[in-house]
């Protein structure tokens, strides 16, 4: 064996050195924590592009021996955190590194400011509300606003449609579709008989019910905003029909083969004559109630992010009824309303570039309403008595109104969901109000400009800061409304929200046509809330204080010197976990409110408010028998009622008052689901729906009406103690049975 | 010099082999651990381990497959905590897509079938976020991928298990069928029993199938 030559020896030495340098280990030690300095266990530490790596222990610590010298990259990752790479240059035998990982956006998401609002979206996870959850509350009769009465903040007002929120009237809650005002969400009012909604509640993929402190991009609502976002393209073409004794209808949705556009039409007709012959009603209906509704829509995907949507509906209702006249036992009071309403909404949204977005909408509404009041004898012949109060009991009131709105909102988005939003809108109203033969015409424009910023100070602190300026040509006044809300999220996912805002609303048209010049009514909201969501449960507690100023008063002449306050605490708890297949929520609303407005002689508890309201809503599906069951139960303390009389000085005073008995209402609804034509290419998804409202038949009194002299006092009660429905619904192409389960009269 | 080169090559080669063995061993170890994993914590620890192996073995489909499986499984285990699913589903989706991209879909039918099973599980995990809303979107792909998995390998016991799970968990009116579920699960059980070689090839499922069959009794 030949001796190794020197170069060989050197070479081998070098090689050995190299090998030994591989063997020479550096120990990398350290700790991985999150931004709150909590240790992260099971985080993975890898020397990049090598198999060398280790997981952290339960204290977040690790020690990783590595056998490579020189510059290296250490990669640290953990589910829910942003993966971090750090450069290391190990020279010593031990290298200490402390690593802080930031929470990943996708896991918890940016904190969303949510003071004052309930949001139901089709993206809701766990115990958050989806639009379906919100609108399938038993007994809501297919009216979103009714369904939302089961959420905290709303009062149980059984004699009238609409949302009475936190001491506000239903006129102080406005509904918006894709940014545009929906001026007449329900059919024309009938005294004592709540009217159904015009718009199908299943049209929406997002429902935001704000009970206060809402965004500066909406206005002209003193108490509450119901912000609705309509669906985009349907998943599939479908057809549907439903047959109930109260209502029949059919519809179709057609999606083009490229899934770029769709159109749809729906028609339904309801006449309660037949139903009322089976279930006697207290008012004697001589016409209807009769409803005809048709709607049409088209939706076009104009680009990858662009969407153009058109929705229109036409509604007609005609209801005539007779009640005993309150001032005379042998006379009848006849009331008839005929109403036609057309609504159209064209909206467009798209990204103009990566960071600029536009949301634009134009909307138009036409409404023609005729109310005929008659005083009649027992033979239904009209009688005229020229003395008070009978001389005011024969009247014809015509209201013809046009409404148009144009609106554009531009959004500039920044990193971390931050954004600046600004825009402007104009509302045009033209109303011809004819009382008997006297016509008053009012034409006005309200112009508003607004700006709002979504600011994320850290991942867990967010704020929404906005301001809105409004000018009304009718009032000839300009107002400025600041709004701010903030949110802070705790490490456990719990969240505190707070909001402050000033809100203005123009007085109702009926007060503007009278003499006197009221200004904007004003409300200031202060809200604080805590909510926590985990493990399929959601808890929310909210407290608020509201101050009202410049409310309309009519005592004795129209003015705006009304004022008041509202304060309360509300609780919402939803649990989808404890009982298998049972989803329930419990709501408690405490409200203390007083206001002086209209003919109130001083600040009193308004007759549409009560201190305590409790709701229990439960839904269960029985898969073995294909039956879904929904239950809602509400309990509320009595409402105050007053008899206002006018004194000799022309001012009103309270001559009698009291509180109604407790209100309680149990509603049940069921749907049995099946398929009739299994062999069909587009098989049907069918169901039989049936339900009953006020199951226990409790006597519900909403208030009292008084005769002019205060001697006759008549309770305001529902037209019938209980109400029922049963019917069949079918859909083809797509399973939309859920839509029908509660969407009926 | 010749000798030097031989020595050098030997040393280097050993290094390479050791390196490769290190990964294979680690994979083997972790796959063995997977057989006994039950909790979210177990699966997350393993998910991190598999992800680490995948990081250095970028051409191997198995580490990505296992990492994705562990994350998807975590999503399933969090069914009662729906706010805590999406992150795992996203991660699993990313990893299973990597695994899929490393397969030759024309020839590696058996592997493809395994990957499709995990894709189905990821979609199903998303349904758990809120069945009422996400079900419409992710339910159909979850079923579709089970069928694709069965098409690629009709005897894949994991595809049979997932199919059985779906038939078991779906209400009758939407196509659920307890008898059919039992049939599928028994077939899965049989296939799993006849295939005990516990290498690094996917072989999970026994525990899941047994648990479900117990509920069917």
């Amino acid at each position: 064996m030949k001796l190794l030559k020197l170069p060989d020896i050197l070479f081998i030495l070098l090689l050995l050195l190299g090998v030994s340098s591989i063997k020479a280990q550096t120990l990398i030690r350290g700790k991985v924590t999150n931004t709150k300095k909590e240790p992260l266990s099971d985080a993975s530490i890898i020397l990049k592009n090598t198999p060398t790596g280790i997981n952290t222990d339960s204290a977040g610590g690790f020690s990783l021996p590595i056998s490579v010298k020189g510059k290296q990259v250490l990669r640290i990752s953990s589910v829910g955190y942003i993966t971090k790479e750090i450069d290391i240059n190990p020279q010593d035998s031990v290298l200490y590194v402390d690593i802080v990982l930031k929470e990943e956006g996708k896991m918890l998401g940016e904190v969303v400011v949510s003071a004052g609002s309930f949001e139901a979206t089709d993206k809701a996870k766990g115990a958050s509300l989806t639009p379906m959850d919100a609108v399938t509350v038993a007994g809501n009769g297919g009216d979103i606003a009714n369904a939302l009465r089961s959420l905290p903040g709303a009062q149980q007002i059984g004699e009238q449609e609409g949302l009475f929120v936190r001491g506000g009237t239903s006129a102080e809650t406005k509904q918006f579709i894709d940014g545009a005002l929906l001026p007449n969400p329900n059919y024309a009012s009938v005294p004592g008989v709540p009217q159904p909604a015009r718009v199908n509640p299943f049209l929406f993929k997002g429902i935001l019910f704000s009970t206060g402190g809402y965004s500066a991009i909406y206005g002209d609502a003193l108490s509450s905003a119901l912000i609705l976002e309509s669906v985009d393209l349907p998943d599939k073409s479908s057809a549907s029909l439903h047959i109930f004794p109260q209502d029949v209808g059919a519809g179709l949705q057609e999606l083009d083969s490229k899934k770029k556009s769709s159109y749809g039409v729906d028609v339904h007709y309801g006449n309660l004559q037949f139903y009322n012959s089976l279930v006697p009603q207290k008012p004697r209906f001589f016409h209807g109630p009769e409803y005809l509704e048709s709607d049409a829509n088209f939706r076009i995907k104009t680009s990858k992010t662009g969407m153009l949507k058109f929705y229109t509906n036409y509604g007609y209702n005609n209801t005539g009824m007779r009640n005993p006249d309150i001032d005379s036992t042998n006379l009848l009071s006849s009331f008839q309303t005929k109403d036609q309403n057309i609504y159209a909404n064209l909206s467009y949204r798209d990204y103009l570039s990566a960071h600029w977005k536009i949301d634009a909408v134009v909307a138009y509404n036409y409404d023609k309403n005729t109310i005929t009041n008659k005083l009649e004898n027992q033979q239904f012949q009209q009688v005229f008595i020229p003395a008070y109060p009978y001389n005011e009991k024969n009247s014809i009131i015509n209201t013809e109104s046009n409404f148009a709105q144009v609106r554009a909102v531009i959004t500039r988005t920044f990193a971390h969901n931050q954004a600046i939003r600004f825009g402007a809108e104009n509302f045009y109203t033209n109303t011809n109000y004819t009382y008997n033969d006297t016509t008053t015409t009012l034409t006005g424009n309200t112009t508003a400009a607004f700006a709002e910023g979504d600011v994320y100070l850290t991942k867990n602190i967010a704020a929404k800061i906005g301001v809105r300026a409004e000018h009304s040509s009718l009032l000839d006044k300009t107002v400025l409304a600041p709004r701010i809300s903030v949110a802070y999220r705790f490490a456990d996912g719990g969240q505190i929200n707070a909001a402050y805002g000033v809100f203005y609303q123009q007085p109702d048209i009926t007060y503007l046509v009278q003499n006197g010049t009221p200004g904007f009514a004003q409300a200031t909201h202060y809200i604080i809330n805590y909510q926590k969501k985990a493990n399929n449960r959601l808890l929310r507690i909210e407290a608020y204080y509201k101050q009202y100023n410049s409310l309309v008063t009519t005592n004795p002449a129209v003015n705006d010197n009304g004022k008041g306050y509202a304060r309360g605490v509300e609780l919402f708890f939803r649990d989808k976990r404890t009982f298998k297949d049972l989803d329930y929520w419990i709501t408690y609303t405490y409200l203390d409110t007083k206001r002086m407005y209209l003919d109130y002689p001083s600040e009193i508890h308004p007759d549409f408010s009560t201190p305590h309201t409790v709701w229990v809503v439960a839904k269960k599906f029985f898969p073995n028998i294909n039956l879904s069951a929904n239950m809602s139960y509400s309990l509320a303390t009595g409402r105050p009622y007053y008899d206002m009389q006018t004194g000799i000085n022309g001012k009103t005073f309270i001559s009698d008052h009291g509180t109604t008995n407790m209100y309680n209402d149990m509603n049940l609804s069921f749907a049995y689901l099946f398929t009739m034509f299994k062999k069909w290419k587009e098989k049907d998804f069918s169901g039989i729906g049936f339900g009953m409202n006020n199951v226990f038949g409790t006597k519900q009194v909403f208030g009292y009406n008084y005769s002019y002299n205060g001697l006759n006092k008549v309770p305001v009660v529902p037209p019938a103690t209980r109400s029922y429905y049963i019917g069949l619904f079918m859909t083809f192409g797509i399973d939309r049975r859920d839509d029908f389960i509660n969407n009926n009269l | 010099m010749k000798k030097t080169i031989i020595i050098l090559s030997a040393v280097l080669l050993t290094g390479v082999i050791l390196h490769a063995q290190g990964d294979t061993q680690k994979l083997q170890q972790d796959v063995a651990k997977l057989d006994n994993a039950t909790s979210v914590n177990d699966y997350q620890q393993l998910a991190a381990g598999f992800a680490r192996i995948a990081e250095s073995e970028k051409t191997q489909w198995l580490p990505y497959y296992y990492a994705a499986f562990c994350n998807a499984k975590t999503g399933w285990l969090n069914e009662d905590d729906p706010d805590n699913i999406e992150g795992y589903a996203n991660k699993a989706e990313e990893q299973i897509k990597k695994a899929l991209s490393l397969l030759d879909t024309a020839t590696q039918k058996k592997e493809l079938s395994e990957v499709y099973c995990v894709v189905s599980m990821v979609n199903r995990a998303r349904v758990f976020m809120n069945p009422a809303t996400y079900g419409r979107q992710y339910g159909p792909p979850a079923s579709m991928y089970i069928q694709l998995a069965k098409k690629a390998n009709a005897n894949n016991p994991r595809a049979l298990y997932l199919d059985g799970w779906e038939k078991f968990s779906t209400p009758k009116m939407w196509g659920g069928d307890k008898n059919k579920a039992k049939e599928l699960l028994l077939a899965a059980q049989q296939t799993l029993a006849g295939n005990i070689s516990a290498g690094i090839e996917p072989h999970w499922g026994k525990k899941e199938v047994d648990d479900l069959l117990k509920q069917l009794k």
Side-chain angles (χ1 to χ4, degrees):
Chain A
M1 191 178 163
K2 212 168 82 180
L3 274 172
L4 293 170
K5 283 176 194 158
L6 189 64
D8 288 356
I9 293 166
L10 276 177
F11 194 91
I12 289 168
L13 270 174
L14 267 173
L15 193 71
L16 287 172
L17 264 173
V19 169
S20 67
S21 79
I22 293 171
K23 294 286 167 208
Q25 288 192 331
T26 298
L27 198 59
I28 304 179
R29 299 183 65 178
K31 196 176 173 187
V32 181
T33 57
N34 62 16
T35 47
K36 282 169 236 96
K37 293 190 176 152
E38 294 158 345
L40 295 178
S41 61
D42 296 326
S44 124
I45 322 285
I46 310 175
L47 202 55
K48 207 179 171 190
N49 298 319
T50 76
T52 313
I54 200 161
N55 286 359
T56 55
D57 56 32
S58 58
F62 68 92
S63 63
L64 174 67
I66 63 162
S67 41
V68 217
K69 275 219 157 111
K71 286 191 174 167
Q72 301 288 332
V73 176
L74 209 57
R75 188 184 159 100
I76 307 96
S77 60
S78 179
V79 170
Y81 293 87
I82 298 167
T83 299
K84 197 170 186 176
E85 291 188 351
I86 57 169
D87 294 325
I88 51 166
N89 193 354
Q91 301 293 345
D92 307 323
S93 56
V94 180
L95 180 70
Y96 286 96
V97 279
D98 280 330
I99 296 138
V100 178
L101 290 185
K102 281 188 179 163
E103 284 84 353
E104 186 181 57
K106 278 173 193 161
M107 284 293 280
L108 260 178
E110 304 282 353
V111 55
V112 177
V113 185
S114 71
S117 68
F118 264 94
E119 192 170 14
T121 77
D122 59 356
K123 296 270 176 283
K125 289 181 214 108
S128 295
L129 289 171
T130 66
M132 194 64 82
D133 295 332
V135 300
T136 54
V137 175
N140 75 67
D143 182 345
I144 290 184
N146 268 352
L148 297 177
R149 287 179 175 192
S150 69
L151 295 181
Q155 297 286 296
Q156 305 320 308
I157 307 298
E159 74 279 22
Q160 204 183 324
E161 60 281 352
L163 277 166
F164 294 74
V165 178
R166 292 183 173 173
T169 67
S170 61
E172 293 170 23
T173 299
K174 294 276 172 76
Q175 294 188 24
F176 302 89
I177 294 180
D178 296 330
L181 184 73
L182 177 67
N184 302 313
N186 294 73
Y187 290 103
S189 287
V190 174
V193 187
Q195 294 300 298
R198 297 176 192 277
V199 179
N200 183 341
F202 297 96
L203 187 68
F204 306 106
K205 63 172 179 178
I207 299 170
L208 190 129
F209 174 39
S210 170
T211 49
Y214 62 87
S215 153
I217 66 174
Y218 296 97
D220 204 35
L222 219 47
S223 295
S224 164
L226 181 53
I227 297 158
L228 306 164
E229 189 188 349
S230 68
V231 291
D232 295 339
L233 295 174
D235 308 329
K236 218 177 154 187
S237 296
S238 64
S240 65
L241 67 92
H242 66 268
I243 303 162
F244 285 78
Q246 294 100 320
D247 192 82
V248 290
L252 117 106
Q253 278 291 329
E254 189 75 30
L255 179 68
D256 87 329
S257 56
K258 287 178 198 143
K259 302 199 169 184
K260 283 273 157 50
S261 66
S262 74
Y263 67 87
V265 286
D266 277 288
V267 184
H268 67 95
Y269 173 78
N271 194 325
L272 271 65
Q273 289 272 298
F274 173 68
Y275 173 82
N276 289 349
S277 69
L278 300 174
V279 183
Q281 308 283 306
K282 193 155 166 280
R284 275 172 288 167
F285 289 102
F286 60 83
H287 189 103
E290 183 188 24
Y291 307 93
L292 173 70
E293 185 77 38
S294 60
D295 66 47
N297 67 71
F298 68 76
R299 301 161 190 152
I300 301 168
K301 207 166 165 26
T302 53
S303 72
K304 214 173 163 190
T305 51
M307 196 78 210
L308 181 75
K309 293 190 274 194
F310 177 73
Y311 169 80
T312 183
N313 78 20
Y314 166 80
Y316 166 80
N317 70 309
N318 185 344
T319 298
M321 63 177 190
R322 288 189 183 90
N323 280 301
D325 186 68
I326 195 160
D327 293 305
S328 155
T329 47
N330 51 20
L331 291 177
L332 295 167
S333 160
S334 151
F335 170 93
Q336 184 165 27
T337 182
K338 283 186 203 171
D339 187 87
Q340 292 191 69
N341 192 89
I342 296 169
Y343 179 71
N345 178 310
L346 179 71
S347 71
Y348 173 68
R349 65 158 201 266
D350 202 356
Y351 275 90
L352 302 169
S353 67
H355 297 291
W356 291 92
K357 190 186 174 213
I358 184 165
D359 282 277
V361 64
V362 289
Y364 172 74
N365 194 83
Y366 169 80
D367 188 83
K368 187 171 187 289
N369 180 245
T370 305
I371 292 172
T372 310
N373 288 304
K374 285 181 191 168
L375 190 65
E376 291 178 345
N377 62 19
Q378 295 296 333
Q379 288 72 48
F380 306 152
Q381 288 157 328
Q382 194 168 8
V383 290
F384 295 88
I385 302 170
Y388 183 81
Y390 305 101
N391 58 351
E392 292 187 351
K393 297 201 179 201
N394 288 293
S395 62
I396 295 173
I397 303 160
N398 262 303
T399 314
E400 192 175 9
S401 59
N402 287 284
F403 164 85
Q405 181 184 354
V406 190
R407 168 187 166 99
V409 185
I410 305 279
T411 308
R412 167 76 165 95
T413 58
F414 299 93
H416 300 295
N417 288 351
Q418 304 204 96
I420 290 177
R421 219 168 278 120
F422 55 92
E425 57 191 334
N426 190 73
F427 303 87
Y428 163 85
T429 51
N430 165 268
T431 306
N432 287 302
Y433 180 82
T434 310
Y435 186 86
N436 292 336
D437 292 322
T438 319
T439 299
T440 315
T441 301
L442 271 179
T443 302
N445 277 290
T446 303
T447 311
F450 45 83
E452 181 182 78
D454 293 345
V455 188
Y456 286 86
L457 300 172
T458 73
K459 213 178 136 48
N460 293 318
I461 303 177
K464 210 183 249 299
I465 301 161
V467 65
R468 180 181 180 91
E470 258 170 52
H471 174 80
S472 159
S473 70
L474 272 176
L475 306 177
D476 193 22
K477 281 195 175 87
T478 303
V479 286
L480 202 66
R483 318 261 168 96
I484 178 162
S485 52
V486 291
Y488 175 77
R489 184 170 57 198
F490 298 100
D492 67 354
Q495 188 173 323
I496 280 196
N497 300 283
Y500 160 82
V502 179
F503 301 82
Y504 291 97
Q505 182 167 352
Q506 291 192 60
D508 192 83
I509 196 84
T510 44
Y511 305 113
L512 294 177
V513 299
Q514 297 176 38
N515 290 330
T517 50
F520 279 101
Q522 189 212 50
T524 310
H525 300 184
Y526 304 86
I527 300 165
I528 185 150
N529 115 352
Y530 171 78
Q531 73 177 44
K532 176 148 188 203
K533 201 181 128 194
N535 300 323
N536 249 344
R537 297 189 184 102
L538 172 69
L539 173 72
R540 181 181 184 273
I541 303 166
E542 186 160 293
Y544 65 90
Y545 176 76
K546 285 204 288 195
Q547 181 70 46
Y548 296 103
N549 283 307
S550 308
L551 295 175
V552 174
T553 51
T554 56
N555 182 19
V558 176
N559 206 328
D560 63 0
N561 54 8
K563 59 184 170 46
Y565 70 88
R567 60 190 174 201
V569 179
E570 293 159 2
L571 186 105
F572 178 81
F573 175 69
R574 185 181 186 198
D575 178 3
K576 287 170 78 179
R577 177 161 182 172
T578 308
F579 307 101
K580 194 173 159 33
D581 293 330
L582 175 74
D583 167 16
Y584 70 93
W585 72 70
I586 298 170
T587 294
Y588 168 68
T589 300
Y590 169 73
L591 167 68
D592 169 26
T593 183
K594 277 187 174 180
R595 56 163 64 187
M596 180 172 91
Y597 96 132
L598 301 186
D599 57 352
Y600 289 10
S602 59
E603 273 190 45
I604 51 174
H605 297 299
D607 58 7
F608 46 82
S609 72
T610 191
H612 307 281
T613 307
V614 175
W615 270 86
V616 181
V617 172
K619 300 172 190 190
K620 190 165 168 66
F621 182 63
F622 300 91
N624 295 330
I625 48 169
N626 297 346
L627 184 78
S628 93
N630 286 1
M631 183 280 288
S632 73
Y633 176 71
S634 56
L635 180 71
T637 44
R639 281 160 51 188
Y641 61 86
Y642 305 96
D643 178 30
M644 306 280 184
Q645 295 283 342
T646 308
I648 35 171
N649 58 359
K651 293 216 166 196
T652 54
F653 65 94
I654 296 169
S655 73
D656 188 26
H657 67 96
T659 306
T660 64
N661 61 356
M662 284 263 263
Y663 167 86
N664 78 78
D665 191 29
M666 162 82 120
N667 301 326
L668 288 175
S669 71
F670 301 91
Y672 170 69
L673 308 175
F674 58 92
T675 293
M676 273 195 260
F677 311 107
K678 289 199 174 83
K679 297 270 153 60
W680 287 19
K681 188 171 156 254
E682 292 290 355
K683 69 172 182 182
D684 62 306
F685 299 95
S686 303
I688 289 173
F690 52 101
M692 185 182 193
N693 294 343
N694 192 14
V695 173
F696 299 137
T698 54
K699 188 167 192 259
Q700 299 173 345
V701 177
F702 307 125
Y704 289 87
N705 287 329
Y706 285 85
S707 60
Y708 78 104
N709 55 13
L711 296 176
N712 188 17
K713 175 180 167 188
V714 177
V716 179
V717 295
T721 306
R722 294 183 180 89
S723 65
Y724 312 84
Y725 71 85
I726 182 161
L728 170 76
F729 47 86
M730 294 176 83
T731 58
F732 297 88
I734 191 164
D735 189 354
R736 288 212 178 282
R737 284 176 293 192
D738 283 356
D739 299 9
F740 288 89
I741 290 174
N742 279 273
N743 186 17
N744 38 61
L745 295 168
Chain B
M1 189 62 209
K2 216 179 195 176
K3 218 169 194 171
T4 327
I5 291 164
I6 292 169
I7 294 168
L8 177 67
S9 320
V11 168
L12 286 178
L13 209 70
T14 323
V16 170
I17 290 166
L18 276 174
H19 182 118
Q21 269 182 346
D23 268 7
T24 316
Q25 259 172 18
K26 183 85 176 80
L27 188 62
Q28 245 160 14
Q29 272 172 21
D30 282 1
V31 173
K33 273 193 217 160
L34 189 59
D35 292 340
N36 299 315
T38 49
S39 67
V40 166
N41 218 359
D42 294 344
Y43 281 101
Q44 274 315 293
Q45 207 149 354
L46 287 166
F50 287 123
R52 195 158 59 229
I53 300 168
E55 182 75 20
S56 66
E57 295 283 324
K58 290 203 165 101
T59 56
Q60 297 296 310
W61 74 283
L62 267 176
Y64 284 116
Y65 162 84
Y66 275 115
F69 168 70
C70 289
N71 281 317
K73 185 77 185 177
T74 305
W76 278 51
L77 291 171
N78 281 349
E79 188 180 350
D80 282 336
D81 187 8
D83 294 299
N84 208 3
I85 290 177
E86 198 167 25
Y88 299 106
N90 290 345
K91 202 142 209 171
E93 186 172 329
E94 198 182 296
Q95 289 160 335
I96 202 65
K97 274 186 182 159
K98 279 248 179 69
L100 185 61
S101 71
L102 294 168
L103 291 181
D104 177 0
T105 51
T107 57
Q108 294 179 287
K109 290 287 181 202
K110 249 178 95 180
E111 292 81 352
L112 190 62
S113 177
E114 300 295 350
V115 166
Y116 282 157
C117 284
V118 173
V119 178
S120 168
M121 286 178 73
V122 173
N123 279 290
R124 182 59 61 189
R126 292 193 194 278
V127 173
F128 294 149
M129 296 193 295
N130 193 346
T133 45
Y134 290 89
R136 231 179 230 185
Q137 194 179 347
Y138 295 107
S143 329
M144 188 187 81
Y145 277 105
I146 296 174
Q147 297 315 318
L148 287 175
K150 284 173 82 176
K151 209 174 141 196
N153 176 10
N155 294 320
N156 182 353
R158 282 158 291 283
L160 293 172
Y161 154 68
L162 289 173
D163 203 3
W165 182 93
E166 197 177 89
K167 293 276 181 301
F168 171 78
S169 309
T170 311
K172 208 163 71 189
M173 54 171 297
W174 283 297
D177 186 340
K178 295 264 194 295
N179 293 328
K180 185 85 185 126
K182 197 165 181 179
E183 210 175 283
L184 286 160
L185 290 166
L186 286 172
Q189 198 177 42
Q190 211 172 5
T191 323
L192 282 164
N195 165 6
I196 331 164
S197 72
I200 53 170
E201 296 302 310
H203 58 264
W204 60 270
K206 186 172 181 328
K207 195 173 48 200
E208 284 85 352
V209 168
D210 291 350
D211 282 356
L212 214 50
L213 277 171
K214 250 179 246 159
Q215 290 183 54
L216 268 167
K217 262 170 202 166

